[in-house]
Amino acid sequence: MESGPLKIGIACFPLIGGSGILATALGSELARRGHEVYFFSYAQPVRLDLPQEGLHFHLVDFANNALFPCPDYTLPLAVKMAEVARSQQLDLFHVHYAVPHALAACLASQIVGPSAPRIITTLHGSDTTLLGQDPDYRTAIEHALVHSDAVTAVSENLRDQTLETFRLKRPIEVIPNFFTPNKSKRGREEVRRDLGLADKFLVLHMSNLRPVKRIDLLLRTIAMSKNRTRIRLFILAGDSFEPYEPLLDELEIRDSVIVRHNTAAVEEYLEAADAGLYTSEYESFGLSILETAFYAKPVVAFRVGGIPEVIGDSSPLYPFGDVTAAAAALDGLVESPNLARRLGEQSRARVLERFSADRVVPRYEALYRRIVASR
Ligand code: GMT
Protein backbone atom coordinates (compact mmCIF):
# COMPACT_ATOMS: atom_id res chain seq x y z
CA MET A 1 0.00 0.00 0.00
CA GLU A 2 2.89 2.35 0.78
CA SER A 3 3.73 2.86 -2.88
CA GLY A 4 1.27 0.70 -4.84
CA PRO A 5 -1.49 2.05 -7.04
CA LEU A 6 -4.57 3.45 -5.32
CA LYS A 7 -8.20 3.16 -6.35
CA ILE A 8 -9.62 6.66 -6.28
CA GLY A 9 -13.22 7.81 -6.84
CA ILE A 10 -13.50 11.41 -8.06
CA ALA A 11 -16.83 13.26 -7.97
CA CYS A 12 -16.95 16.61 -9.76
CA PHE A 13 -19.04 18.90 -11.93
CA PRO A 14 -18.67 18.05 -15.62
CA LEU A 15 -19.22 21.43 -17.28
CA ILE A 16 -16.94 24.39 -17.87
CA GLY A 17 -15.87 25.57 -14.43
CA GLY A 18 -12.58 25.47 -12.60
CA SER A 19 -13.40 22.76 -10.07
CA GLY A 20 -14.39 20.18 -12.69
CA ILE A 21 -11.48 21.11 -14.93
CA LEU A 22 -9.02 20.71 -12.10
CA ALA A 23 -10.60 17.42 -10.98
CA THR A 24 -10.40 16.08 -14.53
CA ALA A 25 -6.76 17.09 -14.93
CA LEU A 26 -5.94 15.52 -11.57
CA GLY A 27 -7.69 12.25 -12.47
CA SER A 28 -5.80 12.04 -15.78
CA GLU A 29 -2.47 12.72 -14.07
CA LEU A 30 -3.20 10.12 -11.37
CA ALA A 31 -4.08 7.52 -14.02
CA ARG A 32 -0.84 8.36 -15.86
CA ARG A 33 0.98 7.69 -12.59
CA GLY A 34 -0.53 4.19 -12.40
CA HIS A 35 -3.58 4.71 -10.16
CA GLU A 36 -7.10 3.56 -11.06
CA VAL A 37 -9.46 6.53 -11.17
CA TYR A 38 -13.28 6.34 -11.22
CA PHE A 39 -15.12 9.55 -12.14
CA PHE A 40 -18.71 10.19 -11.07
CA SER A 41 -20.78 12.91 -12.68
CA TYR A 42 -24.05 13.59 -14.51
CA ALA A 43 -22.19 14.01 -17.83
CA GLN A 44 -18.70 13.22 -19.06
CA PRO A 45 -16.45 16.06 -17.82
CA VAL A 46 -15.61 18.36 -20.74
CA ARG A 47 -11.87 17.83 -20.64
CA LEU A 48 -11.97 14.09 -19.84
CA ASP A 49 -10.32 12.25 -22.71
CA LEU A 50 -11.53 8.67 -22.85
CA PRO A 51 -10.47 5.98 -23.33
CA GLN A 52 -7.33 6.31 -21.23
CA GLU A 53 -5.78 3.46 -19.30
CA GLY A 54 -6.71 3.66 -15.63
CA LEU A 55 -9.61 6.09 -16.20
CA HIS A 56 -13.23 5.06 -15.73
CA PHE A 57 -16.36 7.15 -15.95
CA HIS A 58 -19.63 6.41 -14.14
CA LEU A 59 -22.61 8.36 -15.40
CA VAL A 60 -25.05 9.32 -12.66
CA ASP A 61 -28.63 9.91 -13.78
CA PHE A 62 -30.83 12.49 -12.07
CA ALA A 63 -33.63 10.60 -10.32
CA ASN A 64 -36.89 11.82 -11.78
CA ASN A 65 -39.32 9.76 -9.77
CA ALA A 66 -42.91 10.86 -10.30
CA LEU A 67 -43.45 10.65 -6.54
CA PHE A 68 -41.33 13.74 -6.03
CA PRO A 69 -41.93 17.30 -7.23
CA CYS A 70 -38.34 17.84 -8.44
CA PRO A 71 -35.41 15.72 -9.68
CA ASP A 72 -32.73 14.62 -7.24
CA TYR A 73 -29.01 14.14 -7.87
CA THR A 74 -27.42 13.74 -4.43
CA LEU A 75 -29.03 10.38 -3.61
CA PRO A 76 -28.34 8.72 -7.00
CA LEU A 77 -24.77 10.03 -6.80
CA ALA A 78 -24.31 8.58 -3.29
CA VAL A 79 -25.77 5.24 -4.37
CA LYS A 80 -23.52 5.04 -7.46
CA MET A 81 -20.47 5.97 -5.38
CA ALA A 82 -21.35 3.30 -2.80
CA GLU A 83 -21.89 0.64 -5.50
CA VAL A 84 -18.56 1.34 -7.19
CA ALA A 85 -16.77 1.63 -3.84
CA ARG A 86 -17.98 -1.89 -3.01
CA SER A 87 -17.43 -3.49 -6.40
CA GLN A 88 -13.98 -1.94 -6.99
CA GLN A 89 -12.90 -1.69 -3.34
CA LEU A 90 -12.01 1.98 -3.65
CA ASP A 91 -9.41 3.33 -1.25
CA LEU A 92 -10.75 6.84 -1.23
CA PHE A 93 -13.20 9.36 -2.59
CA HIS A 94 -11.68 12.66 -3.64
CA VAL A 95 -14.61 15.01 -4.06
CA HIS A 96 -14.36 18.44 -5.63
CA TYR A 97 -16.80 21.05 -4.36
CA ALA A 98 -18.68 20.36 -1.13
CA VAL A 99 -22.23 20.40 -2.51
CA PRO A 100 -23.37 17.83 -3.41
CA HIS A 101 -20.16 15.81 -3.77
CA ALA A 102 -18.85 15.79 -0.19
CA LEU A 103 -22.35 15.14 1.15
CA ALA A 104 -22.88 12.28 -1.30
CA ALA A 105 -19.50 10.84 -0.25
CA CYS A 106 -20.53 10.94 3.43
CA LEU A 107 -23.74 9.09 2.64
CA ALA A 108 -21.96 6.58 0.38
CA SER A 109 -19.50 5.93 3.18
CA GLN A 110 -22.33 5.19 5.62
CA ILE A 111 -23.94 2.86 3.09
CA VAL A 112 -20.70 0.91 2.56
CA GLY A 113 -19.91 0.65 6.28
CA PRO A 114 -16.57 -0.14 7.94
CA SER A 115 -14.64 -0.81 4.71
CA ALA A 116 -15.78 2.49 3.15
CA PRO A 117 -13.26 4.58 1.21
CA ARG A 118 -11.73 7.55 3.02
CA ILE A 119 -13.08 10.96 2.04
CA ILE A 120 -10.98 13.89 0.88
CA THR A 121 -12.88 17.08 0.11
CA THR A 122 -11.31 19.85 -1.94
CA LEU A 123 -12.96 23.24 -1.63
CA HIS A 124 -12.86 25.40 -4.72
CA GLY A 125 -14.42 28.70 -3.78
CA SER A 126 -18.11 29.38 -3.98
CA ASP A 127 -18.84 26.31 -1.83
CA THR A 128 -17.41 28.47 0.98
CA THR A 129 -17.90 32.04 -0.22
CA LEU A 130 -21.49 31.72 -1.53
CA LEU A 131 -23.09 28.48 -0.33
CA GLY A 132 -21.29 28.76 3.01
CA GLN A 133 -23.22 31.99 3.64
CA ASP A 134 -26.55 30.41 2.64
CA PRO A 135 -28.50 29.15 5.67
CA ASP A 136 -30.04 26.42 3.49
CA TYR A 137 -26.60 24.90 2.83
CA ARG A 138 -24.23 26.08 5.54
CA THR A 139 -24.94 23.38 8.15
CA ALA A 140 -24.81 20.61 5.57
CA ILE A 141 -21.45 21.81 4.23
CA GLU A 142 -20.06 22.05 7.75
CA HIS A 143 -21.25 18.50 8.41
CA ALA A 144 -19.52 17.23 5.27
CA LEU A 145 -16.27 19.01 6.16
CA VAL A 146 -16.31 17.64 9.71
CA HIS A 147 -16.90 14.11 8.39
CA SER A 148 -14.27 14.22 5.65
CA ASP A 149 -10.97 12.54 6.51
CA ALA A 150 -9.09 15.50 5.02
CA VAL A 151 -10.10 18.87 3.64
CA THR A 152 -8.01 20.85 1.20
CA ALA A 153 -8.41 24.33 -0.25
CA VAL A 154 -6.89 25.62 -3.48
CA SER A 155 -5.38 28.75 -1.91
CA GLU A 156 -4.45 30.22 1.45
CA ASN A 157 -7.11 32.84 0.91
CA LEU A 158 -9.81 30.18 0.53
CA ARG A 159 -8.49 28.25 3.53
CA ASP A 160 -8.73 31.40 5.67
CA GLN A 161 -12.21 32.24 4.41
CA THR A 162 -13.34 28.67 5.11
CA LEU A 163 -12.02 28.73 8.67
CA GLU A 164 -13.84 32.04 9.22
CA THR A 165 -17.07 30.70 7.73
CA PHE A 166 -17.43 27.29 9.37
CA ARG A 167 -16.86 26.01 12.90
CA LEU A 168 -14.04 23.58 12.15
CA LYS A 169 -11.47 22.24 14.57
CA ARG A 170 -9.56 20.45 11.85
CA PRO A 171 -6.69 21.84 9.75
CA ILE A 172 -7.24 22.59 6.08
CA GLU A 173 -4.29 21.81 3.84
CA VAL A 174 -3.61 24.19 0.96
CA ILE A 175 -2.85 22.34 -2.27
CA PRO A 176 -2.92 24.75 -5.19
CA ASN A 177 -4.27 24.09 -8.65
CA PHE A 178 -2.03 23.04 -11.52
CA PHE A 179 -2.15 23.00 -15.29
CA THR A 180 -0.87 20.63 -17.95
CA PRO A 181 -1.39 22.04 -21.45
CA ASN A 182 -2.50 19.69 -24.19
CA LYS A 183 -0.86 20.01 -27.56
CA SER A 184 -3.02 22.34 -29.63
CA LYS A 185 -4.32 21.10 -32.98
CA ARG A 186 -3.96 24.47 -34.74
CA GLY A 187 -1.05 26.90 -34.62
CA ARG A 188 -1.20 30.55 -33.51
CA GLU A 189 -1.27 32.01 -37.02
CA GLU A 190 -4.01 29.67 -38.22
CA VAL A 191 -6.26 30.51 -35.26
CA ARG A 192 -5.63 34.23 -35.64
CA ARG A 193 -6.37 34.01 -39.36
CA ASP A 194 -9.64 32.13 -38.71
CA LEU A 195 -10.67 34.80 -36.22
CA GLY A 196 -9.85 37.51 -38.78
CA LEU A 197 -7.45 39.22 -36.43
CA ALA A 198 -4.71 40.43 -38.79
CA ASP A 199 -2.43 42.48 -36.47
CA LYS A 200 -4.99 43.06 -33.70
CA PHE A 201 -3.91 42.67 -30.07
CA LEU A 202 -5.89 39.65 -28.84
CA VAL A 203 -7.08 39.89 -25.24
CA LEU A 204 -8.38 36.58 -23.91
CA HIS A 205 -11.00 36.05 -21.19
CA MET A 206 -12.13 32.52 -20.24
CA SER A 207 -14.89 32.02 -17.68
CA ASN A 208 -18.38 30.74 -16.97
CA LEU A 209 -19.61 34.39 -16.93
CA ARG A 210 -21.15 34.03 -13.47
CA PRO A 211 -21.89 37.37 -11.70
CA VAL A 212 -18.67 37.06 -9.66
CA LYS A 213 -16.66 37.36 -12.93
CA ARG A 214 -17.90 40.95 -13.33
CA ILE A 215 -18.25 40.88 -17.09
CA ASP A 216 -19.52 44.45 -16.82
CA LEU A 217 -16.05 45.52 -15.64
CA LEU A 218 -14.40 43.38 -18.30
CA LEU A 219 -16.30 45.23 -21.05
CA ARG A 220 -15.81 48.63 -19.41
CA THR A 221 -12.06 48.03 -19.32
CA ILE A 222 -12.03 47.46 -23.07
CA ALA A 223 -14.24 50.52 -23.60
CA MET A 224 -11.79 52.66 -21.62
CA SER A 225 -8.70 51.53 -23.49
CA LYS A 226 -7.06 54.20 -25.64
CA ASN A 227 -6.13 51.41 -28.02
CA ARG A 228 -9.52 49.87 -28.31
CA THR A 229 -9.56 49.86 -32.11
CA ARG A 230 -6.30 47.85 -32.02
CA ILE A 231 -7.75 45.34 -29.53
CA ARG A 232 -10.04 42.33 -29.91
CA LEU A 233 -11.49 40.92 -26.69
CA PHE A 234 -12.01 37.19 -27.17
CA ILE A 235 -14.37 35.65 -24.61
CA LEU A 236 -14.42 31.87 -24.22
CA ALA A 237 -17.74 31.60 -22.45
CA GLY A 238 -18.97 28.71 -20.33
CA ASP A 239 -22.49 30.17 -20.21
CA SER A 240 -24.78 32.47 -22.15
CA PHE A 241 -23.42 35.90 -23.05
CA GLU A 242 -26.91 37.22 -23.75
CA PRO A 243 -27.29 39.27 -20.52
CA TYR A 244 -24.25 41.34 -21.58
CA GLU A 245 -25.30 42.01 -25.18
CA PRO A 246 -26.95 45.40 -24.38
CA LEU A 247 -23.74 46.58 -22.72
CA LEU A 248 -21.82 45.97 -25.96
CA ASP A 249 -24.03 48.54 -27.67
CA GLU A 250 -24.12 50.92 -24.72
CA LEU A 251 -20.31 50.99 -24.62
CA GLU A 252 -20.05 50.91 -28.42
CA ILE A 253 -17.63 48.03 -28.40
CA ARG A 254 -19.57 45.40 -30.35
CA ASP A 255 -16.90 45.35 -33.07
CA SER A 256 -14.15 44.81 -30.50
CA VAL A 257 -15.59 41.64 -28.93
CA ILE A 258 -15.73 38.03 -30.14
CA VAL A 259 -17.58 35.42 -28.07
CA ARG A 260 -17.28 31.63 -28.41
CA HIS A 261 -19.10 29.09 -26.25
CA ASN A 262 -18.15 25.86 -24.50
CA THR A 263 -14.74 25.31 -26.02
CA ALA A 264 -12.73 22.56 -24.37
CA ALA A 265 -9.61 23.07 -26.55
CA VAL A 266 -8.47 26.28 -24.85
CA GLU A 267 -4.81 25.76 -25.73
CA GLU A 268 -5.05 27.07 -29.27
CA TYR A 269 -6.67 30.30 -28.10
CA LEU A 270 -4.09 30.67 -25.35
CA GLU A 271 -1.40 30.39 -27.98
CA ALA A 272 -3.16 32.88 -30.25
CA ALA A 273 -3.67 35.46 -27.48
CA ASP A 274 -1.44 38.42 -26.62
CA ALA A 275 -2.74 38.96 -23.05
CA GLY A 276 -5.42 37.85 -20.58
CA LEU A 277 -8.00 40.07 -18.86
CA TYR A 278 -9.82 38.96 -15.69
CA THR A 279 -12.01 41.35 -13.68
CA SER A 280 -13.59 39.02 -11.08
CA GLU A 281 -14.59 40.43 -7.72
CA TYR A 282 -13.40 37.17 -6.16
CA GLU A 283 -11.39 34.16 -7.27
CA SER A 284 -10.29 31.52 -4.79
CA PHE A 285 -7.45 30.84 -7.23
CA GLY A 286 -8.14 31.76 -10.85
CA LEU A 287 -7.41 28.67 -12.93
CA SER A 288 -7.87 30.62 -16.19
CA ILE A 289 -5.24 33.08 -15.01
CA LEU A 290 -2.88 30.19 -14.37
CA GLU A 291 -3.58 28.80 -17.85
CA THR A 292 -2.94 32.21 -19.42
CA ALA A 293 0.33 32.65 -17.52
CA PHE A 294 1.45 29.15 -18.56
CA TYR A 295 1.44 30.42 -22.15
CA ALA A 296 3.63 33.40 -21.16
CA LYS A 297 0.79 35.83 -21.81
CA PRO A 298 0.69 38.81 -19.43
CA VAL A 299 -2.43 38.97 -17.27
CA VAL A 300 -4.32 42.09 -16.25
CA ALA A 301 -6.43 41.37 -13.14
CA PHE A 302 -7.61 42.78 -9.84
CA ARG A 303 -5.89 42.02 -6.53
CA VAL A 304 -8.66 39.83 -5.05
CA GLY A 305 -8.91 36.44 -3.31
CA GLY A 306 -6.19 33.97 -4.25
CA ILE A 307 -5.07 35.75 -7.44
CA PRO A 308 -2.00 37.31 -5.72
CA GLU A 309 -0.92 33.79 -4.70
CA VAL A 310 -0.95 32.76 -8.36
CA ILE A 311 0.68 35.86 -9.86
CA GLY A 312 2.95 36.86 -6.96
CA ASP A 313 5.10 39.81 -7.95
CA SER A 314 5.61 38.53 -11.50
CA SER A 315 3.13 41.11 -12.81
CA PRO A 316 1.20 44.04 -11.27
CA LEU A 317 -2.38 43.57 -9.99
CA TYR A 318 -4.88 46.41 -9.54
CA PRO A 319 -7.38 47.40 -6.82
CA PHE A 320 -10.74 45.78 -7.36
CA GLY A 321 -13.00 47.77 -9.68
CA ASP A 322 -10.32 50.18 -10.89
CA VAL A 323 -11.11 49.87 -14.59
CA THR A 324 -9.09 53.00 -15.33
CA ALA A 325 -5.98 51.27 -14.00
CA ALA A 326 -6.84 48.01 -15.79
CA ALA A 327 -7.36 49.84 -19.11
CA ALA A 328 -4.07 51.72 -18.65
CA ALA A 329 -2.31 48.42 -17.93
CA LEU A 330 -3.76 46.94 -21.10
CA ASP A 331 -2.67 50.01 -23.07
CA GLY A 332 0.84 49.57 -21.68
CA LEU A 333 0.92 46.03 -23.07
CA VAL A 334 -0.50 47.00 -26.47
CA GLU A 335 1.98 49.83 -26.84
CA SER A 336 5.05 47.96 -25.59
CA PRO A 337 5.58 44.43 -26.92
CA ASN A 338 8.74 44.28 -24.80
CA LEU A 339 6.80 44.94 -21.60
CA ALA A 340 4.17 42.38 -22.62
CA ARG A 341 6.90 39.81 -23.34
CA ARG A 342 8.74 40.50 -20.06
CA LEU A 343 5.62 40.29 -17.86
CA GLY A 344 4.42 37.19 -19.70
CA GLU A 345 7.75 35.44 -19.29
CA GLN A 346 8.00 36.38 -15.62
CA SER A 347 4.52 34.99 -14.97
CA ARG A 348 5.32 31.81 -16.87
CA ALA A 349 8.52 31.25 -14.88
CA ARG A 350 6.59 31.63 -11.64
CA VAL A 351 3.71 29.29 -12.53
CA LEU A 352 6.00 26.65 -14.05
CA GLU A 353 7.96 26.54 -10.83
CA ARG A 354 4.95 26.35 -8.51
CA PHE A 355 1.90 25.09 -10.38
CA SER A 356 3.02 22.32 -12.73
CA ALA A 357 1.52 18.83 -12.37
CA ASP A 358 4.90 17.51 -11.23
CA ARG A 359 4.89 19.97 -8.33
CA VAL A 360 1.29 19.57 -7.26
CA VAL A 361 0.08 16.03 -8.00
CA PRO A 362 2.64 14.35 -5.67
CA ARG A 363 1.20 16.47 -2.86
CA TYR A 364 -2.22 14.94 -3.44
CA GLU A 365 -0.66 11.48 -3.66
CA ALA A 366 1.15 12.02 -0.35
CA LEU A 367 -2.10 13.15 1.26
CA TYR A 368 -3.95 10.10 -0.10
CA ARG A 369 -1.32 7.73 1.27
CA ARG A 370 -1.30 9.42 4.65
CA ILE A 371 -5.09 9.28 4.94
CA VAL A 372 -5.36 5.70 3.67
CA ALA A 373 -2.58 4.55 6.02
CA SER A 374 -4.36 6.12 9.01
CA ARG A 375 -7.43 3.94 8.50
O1 GMT B 1 -14.91 30.18 -11.27
C1 GMT B 1 -16.00 29.64 -11.23
O2 GMT B 1 -17.03 30.23 -11.16
C2 GMT B 1 -16.08 28.15 -11.20
C3 GMT B 1 -15.58 27.65 -9.91
C4 GMT B 1 -15.85 26.20 -9.76
O3 GMT B 1 -16.10 25.81 -8.65
O4 GMT B 1 -15.80 25.44 -10.71
O5 GMT B 1 -14.21 28.01 -9.84
C5 GMT B 1 -13.62 28.02 -8.58
O6 GMT B 1 -12.68 26.96 -8.61
C6 GMT B 1 -11.57 27.14 -9.49
C7 GMT B 1 -10.69 25.90 -9.41
O7 GMT B 1 -10.19 25.72 -8.15
C8 GMT B 1 -10.81 28.40 -9.09
O8 GMT B 1 -9.71 28.58 -9.96
C9 GMT B 1 -11.75 29.61 -9.19
O9 GMT B 1 -11.07 30.74 -8.76
C10 GMT B 1 -12.96 29.37 -8.31
N1 GMT B 1 -13.93 30.43 -8.54
C11 GMT B 1 -14.24 31.32 -7.59
O10 GMT B 1 -13.72 31.32 -6.49
C12 GMT B 1 -15.23 32.35 -7.96
Side-chain angles (χ1 to χ4, degrees), residues 215-234:
I215 300 304
D216 55 332
L217 301 181
L218 182 83
L219 300 181
R220 285 184 198 285
T221 302
I222 296 299
M224 288 196 72
S225 161
K226 283 192 295 177
N227 292 286
R228 106 184 185 200
T229 53
R230 290 173 67 188
I231 288 177
R232 283 289 174 278
L233 173 65
F234 185 74

mmCIF file of all heavy atoms in Angstrom, residues 215-234:
data_model
loop_
_atom_site.group_PDB
_atom_site.id
_atom_site.type_symbol
_atom_site.label_atom_id
_atom_site.label_comp_id
_atom_site.label_asym_id
_atom_site.label_seq_id
_atom_site.Cartn_x
_atom_site.Cartn_y
_atom_site.Cartn_z
ATOM 1 N N ILE A 215 -18.404 40.662 -15.658
ATOM 2 C CA ILE A 215 -18.246 40.878 -17.091
ATOM 3 C C ILE A 215 -18.505 42.340 -17.444
ATOM 4 O O ILE A 215 -17.966 42.871 -18.417
ATOM 5 C CB ILE A 215 -19.175 39.912 -17.876
ATOM 6 C CG1 ILE A 215 -18.825 38.456 -17.544
ATOM 7 C CG2 ILE A 215 -19.097 40.143 -19.389
ATOM 8 C CD1 ILE A 215 -17.371 38.062 -17.784
ATOM 9 N N ASP A 216 -19.315 43.012 -16.599
ATOM 10 C CA ASP A 216 -19.524 44.452 -16.824
ATOM 11 C C ASP A 216 -18.177 45.194 -16.761
ATOM 12 O O ASP A 216 -17.871 46.039 -17.610
ATOM 13 C CB ASP A 216 -20.520 45.019 -15.796
ATOM 14 C CG ASP A 216 -20.107 44.739 -14.353
ATOM 15 O OD1 ASP A 216 -19.422 43.717 -14.103
ATOM 16 O OD2 ASP A 216 -20.428 45.556 -13.463
ATOM 17 N N LEU A 217 -17.350 44.840 -15.767
ATOM 18 C CA LEU A 217 -16.049 45.520 -15.637
ATOM 19 C C LEU A 217 -15.091 45.112 -16.760
ATOM 20 O O LEU A 217 -14.269 45.914 -17.218
ATOM 21 C CB LEU A 217 -15.425 45.206 -14.270
ATOM 22 C CG LEU A 217 -16.261 45.624 -13.045
ATOM 23 C CD1 LEU A 217 -15.535 45.277 -11.752
ATOM 24 C CD2 LEU A 217 -16.569 47.122 -13.095
ATOM 25 N N LEU A 218 -15.235 43.870 -17.189
ATOM 26 C CA LEU A 218 -14.402 43.385 -18.303
ATOM 27 C C LEU A 218 -14.657 44.262 -19.536
ATOM 28 O O LEU A 218 -13.715 44.765 -20.177
ATOM 29 C CB LEU A 218 -14.774 41.932 -18.597
ATOM 30 C CG LEU A 218 -14.001 41.237 -19.686
ATOM 31 C CD1 LEU A 218 -12.691 40.696 -19.121
ATOM 32 C CD2 LEU A 218 -14.795 40.078 -20.284
ATOM 33 N N LEU A 219 -15.944 44.462 -19.851
ATOM 34 C CA LEU A 219 -16.301 45.225 -21.055
ATOM 35 C C LEU A 219 -15.957 46.709 -20.877
ATOM 36 O O LEU A 219 -15.491 47.367 -21.811
ATOM 37 C CB LEU A 219 -17.786 45.035 -21.371
ATOM 38 C CG LEU A 219 -18.212 43.575 -21.639
ATOM 39 C CD1 LEU A 219 -19.699 43.506 -21.954
ATOM 40 C CD2 LEU A 219 -17.409 42.955 -22.779
ATOM 41 N N ARG A 220 -16.138 47.213 -19.653
ATOM 42 C CA ARG A 220 -15.813 48.630 -19.409
ATOM 43 C C ARG A 220 -14.305 48.873 -19.549
ATOM 44 O O ARG A 220 -13.875 49.936 -19.982
ATOM 45 C CB ARG A 220 -16.293 49.071 -18.026
ATOM 46 C CG ARG A 220 -17.790 49.260 -17.982
ATOM 47 C CD ARG A 220 -18.316 49.785 -16.658
ATOM 48 N NE ARG A 220 -19.753 49.531 -16.587
ATOM 49 C CZ ARG A 220 -20.676 50.212 -17.259
ATOM 50 N NH1 ARG A 220 -20.324 51.231 -18.023
ATOM 51 N NH2 ARG A 220 -21.948 49.895 -17.173
ATOM 52 N N THR A 221 -13.515 47.884 -19.175
ATOM 53 C CA THR A 221 -12.059 48.030 -19.315
ATOM 54 C C THR A 221 -11.696 48.194 -20.793
ATOM 55 O O THR A 221 -10.900 49.067 -21.165
ATOM 56 C CB THR A 221 -11.324 46.809 -18.715
ATOM 57 O OG1 THR A 221 -11.707 46.691 -17.350
ATOM 58 C CG2 THR A 221 -9.822 46.941 -18.817
ATOM 59 N N ILE A 222 -12.305 47.357 -21.622
ATOM 60 C CA ILE A 222 -12.029 47.459 -23.072
ATOM 61 C C ILE A 222 -12.494 48.822 -23.585
ATOM 62 O O ILE A 222 -11.791 49.500 -24.346
ATOM 63 C CB ILE A 222 -12.749 46.311 -23.830
ATOM 64 C CG1 ILE A 222 -12.196 44.955 -23.402
ATOM 65 C CG2 ILE A 222 -12.638 46.497 -25.346
ATOM 66 C CD1 ILE A 222 -10.720 44.740 -23.662
ATOM 67 N N ALA A 223 -13.695 49.245 -23.123
ATOM 68 C CA ALA A 223 -14.242 50.522 -23.598
ATOM 69 C C ALA A 223 -13.332 51.682 -23.212
ATOM 70 O O ALA A 223 -13.267 52.691 -23.932
ATOM 71 C CB ALA A 223 -15.640 50.723 -23.024
ATOM 72 N N MET A 224 -12.635 51.555 -22.088
ATOM 73 C CA MET A 224 -11.795 52.663 -21.625
ATOM 74 C C MET A 224 -10.398 52.667 -22.229
ATOM 75 O O MET A 224 -9.632 53.611 -22.040
ATOM 76 C CB MET A 224 -11.656 52.604 -20.100
ATOM 77 C CG MET A 224 -12.949 53.001 -19.410
ATOM 78 S SD MET A 224 -12.666 53.366 -17.699
ATOM 79 C CE MET A 224 -11.800 54.898 -17.822
ATOM 80 N N SER A 225 -10.054 51.599 -22.934
ATOM 81 C CA SER A 225 -8.701 51.528 -23.491
ATOM 82 C C SER A 225 -8.524 52.549 -24.617
ATOM 83 O O SER A 225 -9.379 52.677 -25.498
ATOM 84 C CB SER A 225 -8.453 50.111 -24.029
ATOM 85 O OG SER A 225 -7.369 50.152 -24.920
ATOM 86 N N LYS A 226 -7.398 53.242 -24.558
ATOM 87 C CA LYS A 226 -7.064 54.201 -25.639
ATOM 88 C C LYS A 226 -6.873 53.470 -26.958
ATOM 89 O O LYS A 226 -6.985 54.039 -28.026
ATOM 90 C CB LYS A 226 -5.725 54.895 -25.310
ATOM 91 C CG LYS A 226 -5.809 55.976 -24.263
ATOM 92 C CD LYS A 226 -4.501 56.761 -24.257
ATOM 93 C CE LYS A 226 -3.358 55.874 -23.810
ATOM 94 N NZ LYS A 226 -2.055 56.263 -23.759
ATOM 95 N N ASN A 227 -6.492 52.193 -26.829
ATOM 96 C CA ASN A 227 -6.132 51.405 -28.022
ATOM 97 C C ASN A 227 -7.263 50.490 -28.477
ATOM 98 O O ASN A 227 -7.012 49.473 -29.102
ATOM 99 C CB ASN A 227 -4.904 50.548 -27.704
ATOM 100 C CG ASN A 227 -3.682 51.392 -27.510
ATOM 101 O OD1 ASN A 227 -3.132 51.902 -28.461
ATOM 102 N ND2 ASN A 227 -3.274 51.572 -26.253
ATOM 103 N N ARG A 228 -8.489 50.877 -28.130
ATOM 104 C CA ARG A 228 -9.524 49.869 -28.308
ATOM 105 C C ARG A 228 -9.735 49.453 -29.763
ATOM 106 O O ARG A 228 -10.155 48.332 -30.027
ATOM 107 C CB ARG A 228 -10.781 50.320 -27.596
ATOM 108 C CG ARG A 228 -11.874 50.798 -28.377
ATOM 109 C CD ARG A 228 -12.943 51.269 -27.448
ATOM 110 N NE ARG A 228 -14.074 51.638 -28.257
ATOM 111 C CZ ARG A 228 -15.027 52.419 -27.848
ATOM 112 N NH1 ARG A 228 -15.009 52.897 -26.639
ATOM 113 N NH2 ARG A 228 -16.008 52.714 -28.654
ATOM 114 N N THR A 229 -9.396 50.296 -30.720
ATOM 115 C CA THR A 229 -9.556 49.858 -32.112
ATOM 116 C C THR A 229 -8.461 48.847 -32.506
ATOM 117 O O THR A 229 -8.610 48.120 -33.484
ATOM 118 C CB THR A 229 -9.496 51.049 -33.088
ATOM 119 O OG1 THR A 229 -8.291 51.763 -32.823
ATOM 120 C CG2 THR A 229 -10.698 51.964 -32.924
ATOM 121 N N ARG A 230 -7.379 48.826 -31.720
ATOM 122 C CA ARG A 230 -6.304 47.853 -32.021
ATOM 123 C C ARG A 230 -6.531 46.513 -31.308
ATOM 124 O O ARG A 230 -5.801 45.539 -31.528
ATOM 125 C CB ARG A 230 -4.945 48.414 -31.564
ATOM 126 C CG ARG A 230 -4.487 49.588 -32.424
ATOM 127 C CD ARG A 230 -3.230 50.225 -31.843
ATOM 128 N NE ARG A 230 -2.070 49.345 -31.900
ATOM 129 C CZ ARG A 230 -0.907 49.621 -31.321
ATOM 130 N NH1 ARG A 230 -0.746 50.757 -30.647
ATOM 131 N NH2 ARG A 230 0.107 48.786 -31.417
ATOM 132 N N ILE A 231 -7.536 46.512 -30.389
ATOM 133 C CA ILE A 231 -7.747 45.339 -29.529
ATOM 134 C C ILE A 231 -8.938 44.509 -30.005
ATOM 135 O O ILE A 231 -9.933 45.052 -30.479
ATOM 136 C CB ILE A 231 -8.022 45.821 -28.075
ATOM 137 C CG1 ILE A 231 -6.756 46.366 -27.428
ATOM 138 C CG2 ILE A 231 -8.624 44.721 -27.226
ATOM 139 C CD1 ILE A 231 -6.968 46.918 -26.030
ATOM 140 N N ARG A 232 -8.846 43.190 -29.848
ATOM 141 C CA ARG A 232 -10.035 42.328 -29.905
ATOM 142 C C ARG A 232 -10.099 41.586 -28.577
ATOM 143 O O ARG A 232 -9.127 40.928 -28.185
ATOM 144 C CB ARG A 232 -9.929 41.278 -31.017
ATOM 145 C CG ARG A 232 -10.173 41.801 -32.398
ATOM 146 C CD ARG A 232 -11.653 42.161 -32.633
ATOM 147 N NE ARG A 232 -11.809 42.796 -33.929
ATOM 148 C CZ ARG A 232 -11.576 44.087 -34.192
ATOM 149 N NH1 ARG A 232 -11.193 44.901 -33.223
ATOM 150 N NH2 ARG A 232 -11.748 44.572 -35.399
ATOM 151 N N LEU A 233 -11.255 41.713 -27.903
ATOM 152 C CA LEU A 233 -11.486 40.921 -26.693
ATOM 153 C C LEU A 233 -12.126 39.614 -27.128
ATOM 154 O O LEU A 233 -13.187 39.621 -27.776
ATOM 155 C CB LEU A 233 -12.420 41.672 -25.735
ATOM 156 C CG LEU A 233 -12.879 40.868 -24.513
ATOM 157 C CD1 LEU A 233 -11.704 40.522 -23.603
ATOM 158 C CD2 LEU A 233 -13.945 41.638 -23.721
ATOM 159 N N PHE A 234 -11.496 38.504 -26.787
ATOM 160 C CA PHE A 234 -12.011 37.185 -27.171
ATOM 161 C C PHE A 234 -12.486 36.482 -25.901
ATOM 162 O O PHE A 234 -11.679 36.176 -25.023
ATOM 163 C CB PHE A 234 -10.903 36.382 -27.867
ATOM 164 C CG PHE A 234 -11.377 35.067 -28.388
ATOM 165 C CD1 PHE A 234 -12.181 34.997 -29.515
ATOM 166 C CD2 PHE A 234 -11.029 33.888 -27.755
ATOM 167 C CE1 PHE A 234 -12.641 33.780 -29.994
ATOM 168 C CE2 PHE A 234 -11.477 32.675 -28.233
ATOM 169 C CZ PHE A 234 -12.287 32.620 -29.356
#
